[in-house]
mmCIF file of all heavy atoms in Angstrom:
data_model
loop_
_atom_site.group_PDB
_atom_site.id
_atom_site.type_symbol
_atom_site.label_atom_id
_atom_site.label_comp_id
_atom_site.label_asym_id
_atom_site.label_seq_id
_atom_site.Cartn_x
_atom_site.Cartn_y
_atom_site.Cartn_z
ATOM 1 N N GLU I 17 -16.184 -0.871 -11.224
ATOM 2 C CA GLU I 17 -14.714 -0.987 -11.670
ATOM 3 C C GLU I 17 -14.376 -2.475 -11.947
ATOM 4 O O GLU I 17 -13.743 -2.763 -12.953
ATOM 5 C CB GLU I 17 -13.862 -0.498 -10.547
ATOM 6 C CG GLU I 17 -12.340 -0.777 -10.753
ATOM 7 C CD GLU I 17 -11.800 -0.101 -12.025
ATOM 8 O OE1 GLU I 17 -12.309 0.981 -12.389
ATOM 9 O OE2 GLU I 17 -10.807 -0.699 -12.609
ATOM 10 N N LEU I 21 -17.846 -9.860 -9.544
ATOM 11 C CA LEU I 21 -17.121 -10.204 -8.245
ATOM 12 C C LEU I 21 -17.862 -11.305 -7.592
ATOM 13 O O LEU I 21 -19.063 -11.467 -7.627
ATOM 14 C CB LEU I 21 -17.019 -9.071 -7.414
ATOM 15 C CG LEU I 21 -16.104 -7.821 -7.745
ATOM 16 C CD1 LEU I 21 -16.468 -6.622 -7.041
ATOM 17 C CD2 LEU I 21 -14.654 -8.225 -7.592
ATOM 18 N N GLN I 43 -29.419 -7.471 0.257
ATOM 19 C CA GLN I 43 -30.260 -6.280 0.286
ATOM 20 C C GLN I 43 -30.119 -5.437 -0.872
ATOM 21 O O GLN I 43 -31.126 -4.887 -1.482
ATOM 22 C CB GLN I 43 -29.890 -5.480 1.638
ATOM 23 C CG GLN I 43 -30.290 -6.254 2.917
ATOM 24 C CD GLN I 43 -29.605 -5.416 4.073
ATOM 25 O OE1 GLN I 43 -28.773 -4.572 3.919
ATOM 26 N NE2 GLN I 43 -30.057 -5.920 5.268
ATOM 27 N N GLU I 46 -31.991 -7.025 -3.745
ATOM 28 C CA GLU I 46 -33.379 -6.857 -3.616
ATOM 29 C C GLU I 46 -33.867 -5.418 -4.034
ATOM 30 O O GLU I 46 -34.972 -5.255 -4.605
ATOM 31 C CB GLU I 46 -33.783 -7.092 -2.193
ATOM 32 C CG GLU I 46 -35.353 -7.064 -1.903
ATOM 33 C CD GLU I 46 -35.650 -7.361 -0.494
ATOM 34 O OE1 GLU I 46 -34.752 -7.772 0.334
ATOM 35 O OE2 GLU I 46 -36.792 -7.201 -0.088
ATOM 36 N N GLY I 52 -27.391 -10.474 -9.063
ATOM 37 C CA GLY I 52 -26.853 -11.672 -8.921
ATOM 38 C C GLY I 52 -26.764 -12.558 -10.121
ATOM 39 O O GLY I 52 -27.788 -12.526 -10.878
ATOM 40 N N GLY I 116 -3.521 -4.534 -4.483
ATOM 41 C CA GLY I 116 -3.916 -3.465 -3.556
ATOM 42 C C GLY I 116 -3.399 -3.783 -2.145
ATOM 43 O O GLY I 116 -3.087 -2.847 -1.371
ATOM 44 N N ILE I 118 -0.577 -4.873 -1.308
ATOM 45 C CA ILE I 118 0.805 -4.354 -1.215
ATOM 46 C C ILE I 118 0.779 -3.009 -0.672
ATOM 47 O O ILE I 118 1.612 -2.623 0.192
ATOM 48 C CB ILE I 118 1.574 -4.427 -2.612
ATOM 49 C CG1 ILE I 118 1.758 -5.884 -3.079
ATOM 50 C CG2 ILE I 118 2.815 -3.690 -2.580
ATOM 51 C CD1 ILE I 118 2.376 -6.039 -4.371
ATOM 52 N N SER I 139 -9.536 6.804 -22.329
ATOM 53 C CA SER I 139 -9.153 6.754 -23.827
ATOM 54 C C SER I 139 -7.697 7.003 -24.135
ATOM 55 O O SER I 139 -7.166 6.459 -25.073
ATOM 56 C CB SER I 139 -10.107 7.565 -24.573
ATOM 57 O OG SER I 139 -9.978 8.933 -24.224
ATOM 58 N N PRO I 150 5.787 -4.099 -34.109
ATOM 59 C CA PRO I 150 6.182 -4.574 -35.494
ATOM 60 C C PRO I 150 6.464 -6.065 -35.491
ATOM 61 O O PRO I 150 6.927 -6.646 -34.619
ATOM 62 C CB PRO I 150 7.507 -3.727 -35.616
ATOM 63 C CG PRO I 150 8.018 -3.441 -34.328
ATOM 64 C CD PRO I 150 6.840 -3.254 -33.464
ATOM 65 N N ASN I 156 6.558 -3.369 -42.736
ATOM 66 C CA ASN I 156 5.288 -2.836 -42.768
ATOM 67 C C ASN I 156 4.290 -3.465 -41.812
ATOM 68 O O ASN I 156 3.333 -2.842 -41.393
ATOM 69 C CB ASN I 156 4.705 -2.832 -44.206
ATOM 70 C CG ASN I 156 5.678 -2.108 -45.202
ATOM 71 O OD1 ASN I 156 6.083 -1.003 -44.843
ATOM 72 N ND2 ASN I 156 5.882 -2.637 -46.358
ATOM 73 N N LEU I 191 0.202 -23.797 -25.985
ATOM 74 C CA LEU I 191 1.548 -23.253 -25.696
ATOM 75 C C LEU I 191 2.187 -22.901 -26.978
ATOM 76 O O LEU I 191 2.708 -21.780 -27.175
ATOM 77 C CB LEU I 191 2.296 -24.274 -24.944
ATOM 78 C CG LEU I 191 2.006 -24.377 -23.426
ATOM 79 C CD1 LEU I 191 2.789 -25.494 -22.837
ATOM 80 C CD2 LEU I 191 2.395 -23.133 -22.722
ATOM 81 N N LYS I 213 12.134 -4.769 -27.185
ATOM 82 C CA LYS I 213 13.103 -4.390 -28.074
ATOM 83 C C LYS I 213 12.834 -3.018 -28.759
ATOM 84 O O LYS I 213 13.807 -2.191 -28.892
ATOM 85 C CB LYS I 213 13.372 -5.437 -29.083
ATOM 86 C CG LYS I 213 14.572 -5.219 -29.999
ATOM 87 C CD LYS I 213 14.796 -6.379 -30.980
ATOM 88 C CE LYS I 213 15.964 -6.131 -31.869
ATOM 89 N NZ LYS I 213 16.224 -7.215 -32.836
ATOM 90 N N GLU I 215 10.914 -0.726 -27.654
ATOM 91 C CA GLU I 215 10.630 0.347 -26.685
ATOM 92 C C GLU I 215 9.300 1.039 -26.903
ATOM 93 O O GLU I 215 9.052 2.163 -26.560
ATOM 94 C CB GLU I 215 11.709 1.393 -26.608
ATOM 95 C CG GLU I 215 13.021 0.914 -26.242
ATOM 96 C CD GLU I 215 14.086 1.949 -26.028
ATOM 97 O OE1 GLU I 215 13.893 3.049 -26.465
ATOM 98 O OE2 GLU I 215 15.077 1.660 -25.310
ATOM 99 N N TRP I 224 1.625 7.528 -17.140
ATOM 100 C CA TRP I 224 2.043 7.346 -15.794
ATOM 101 C C TRP I 224 2.873 8.567 -15.235
ATOM 102 O O TRP I 224 3.005 8.736 -14.090
ATOM 103 C CB TRP I 224 2.942 6.059 -15.620
ATOM 104 C CG TRP I 224 2.215 4.768 -16.148
ATOM 105 C CD1 TRP I 224 2.612 4.113 -17.243
ATOM 106 C CD2 TRP I 224 1.133 4.157 -15.565
ATOM 107 N NE1 TRP I 224 1.754 3.009 -17.373
ATOM 108 C CE2 TRP I 224 0.866 3.062 -16.369
ATOM 109 C CE3 TRP I 224 0.195 4.497 -14.491
ATOM 110 C CZ2 TRP I 224 -0.208 2.224 -16.138
ATOM 111 C CZ3 TRP I 224 -0.791 3.624 -14.259
ATOM 112 C CH2 TRP I 224 -1.084 2.464 -15.024
ATOM 113 N N ARG I 232 8.347 -5.575 -16.852
ATOM 114 C CA ARG I 232 8.315 -7.032 -16.497
ATOM 115 C C ARG I 232 7.016 -7.575 -16.974
ATOM 116 O O ARG I 232 5.918 -6.891 -16.723
ATOM 117 C CB ARG I 232 8.545 -7.132 -14.924
ATOM 118 C CG ARG I 232 9.895 -6.785 -14.499
ATOM 119 C CD ARG I 232 10.027 -6.855 -12.982
ATOM 120 N NE ARG I 232 11.302 -6.351 -12.524
ATOM 121 C CZ ARG I 232 11.730 -6.189 -11.324
ATOM 122 N NH1 ARG I 232 10.797 -6.456 -10.318
ATOM 123 N NH2 ARG I 232 12.892 -5.727 -10.988
ATOM 124 N N ALA I 250 9.459 -20.296 -21.534
ATOM 125 C CA ALA I 250 10.254 -19.090 -21.398
ATOM 126 C C ALA I 250 11.800 -19.319 -21.469
ATOM 127 O O ALA I 250 12.523 -18.521 -22.085
ATOM 128 C CB ALA I 250 9.876 -18.427 -20.053
ATOM 129 N N LYS I 254 14.884 -17.166 -25.355
ATOM 130 C CA LYS I 254 15.679 -16.065 -25.025
ATOM 131 C C LYS I 254 15.533 -14.828 -25.937
ATOM 132 O O LYS I 254 15.331 -15.095 -27.110
ATOM 133 C CB LYS I 254 17.183 -16.453 -24.897
ATOM 134 C CG LYS I 254 17.459 -17.672 -24.054
ATOM 135 C CD LYS I 254 17.152 -17.497 -22.671
ATOM 136 C CE LYS I 254 17.662 -18.808 -21.873
ATOM 137 N NZ LYS I 254 17.225 -18.916 -20.593
ATOM 138 N N SER I 256 14.506 -13.797 -22.083
ATOM 139 C CA SER I 256 13.272 -14.023 -21.334
ATOM 140 C C SER I 256 13.422 -13.618 -19.897
ATOM 141 O O SER I 256 12.582 -13.944 -19.036
ATOM 142 C CB SER I 256 12.738 -15.381 -21.494
ATOM 143 O OG SER I 256 13.717 -16.313 -21.102
ATOM 144 N N ILE I 295 12.709 -4.931 -0.173
ATOM 145 C CA ILE I 295 11.308 -4.568 0.370
ATOM 146 C C ILE I 295 10.404 -5.822 0.351
ATOM 147 O O ILE I 295 9.239 -5.564 0.365
ATOM 148 C CB ILE I 295 10.759 -3.317 -0.286
ATOM 149 C CG1 ILE I 295 10.762 -3.452 -1.859
ATOM 150 C CG2 ILE I 295 11.482 -2.017 0.165
ATOM 151 C CD1 ILE I 295 10.122 -2.287 -2.527
ATOM 152 N N ARG I 297 8.088 -8.739 1.187
ATOM 153 C CA ARG I 297 7.351 -9.245 2.472
ATOM 154 C C ARG I 297 6.124 -10.007 1.991
ATOM 155 O O ARG I 297 5.671 -9.851 0.919
ATOM 156 C CB ARG I 297 6.951 -8.095 3.306
ATOM 157 C CG ARG I 297 5.871 -7.205 2.774
ATOM 158 C CD ARG I 297 5.452 -6.189 3.764
ATOM 159 N NE ARG I 297 4.845 -6.828 4.970
ATOM 160 C CZ ARG I 297 4.542 -6.146 6.059
ATOM 161 N NH1 ARG I 297 4.835 -4.908 6.213
ATOM 162 N NH2 ARG I 297 3.910 -6.735 7.087
#
Side-chain angles (χ1 to χ4, degrees):
E17 171 63 32
L21 291 162
Q43 293 169 345
E46 185 178 351
I118 290 177
S139 59
N156 302 316
L191 280 172
K213 184 177 180 180
E215 296 189 342
W224 305 115
R232 295 174 184 175
K254 309 293 188 198
S256 56
I295 53 177
R297 67 175 295 168

